[in-house]
Amino acid sequence: DFYLPENLDHDEYLCAMSRSTFCIAARGNAGWSPRLDEAIQLGCIPVILADNTDFPFDHILNYSKFSLKVPETEFEGLKT
């Protein structure tokens, strides 16, 4: 199970992320979302749920060095 707080304002959301070890970075409308950037900036390990997506600066950054990629079909099987 995941801790999914409800009704947080943006500051509370960022504070919760900063206290987390792993942060979900699910795909957005463009294939990636600000959640990936926020996770990196706040020091938690992004758990990327976005199949077939090109990430910003992926020609420079080796995402496998600082994140985990989980196929979208395996999301339901993740545990806390």
Side-chain angles (χ1 to χ4, degrees):
D1 298 327
F2 287 95
Y3 169 63
L4 298 171
E6 296 182 26
N7 302 321
L8 296 181
D9 67 29
H10 191 67
D11 288 339
E12 292 170 326
Y13 162 76
L14 294 176
C15 187
M17 284 183 74
S18 71
R19 291 190 310 264
S20 300
T21 301
F22 297 93
C23 295
I24 299 293
R27 112 177 18 251
N29 291 334
W32 63 277
S33 74
R35 288 182 290 273
L36 177 60
D37 297 336
E38 291 167 343
I40 293 167
Q41 290 173 4
L42 294 168
C44 61
I45 300 167
V47 178
I48 299 171
L49 299 170
D51 298 340
N52 304 314
T53 300
D54 294 322
F55 293 98
F57 306 108
D58 63 357
H59 62 289
I60 298 169
L61 298 173
N62 183 349
Y63 280 82
S64 67
K65 297 280 186 184
F66 60 87
S67 66
L68 300 172
K69 286 189 178 181
V70 176
E72 292 175 17
T73 57
E74 294 181 20
F75 175 71
E76 292 294 326
L78 293 178
K79 299 285 183 189
T80 56

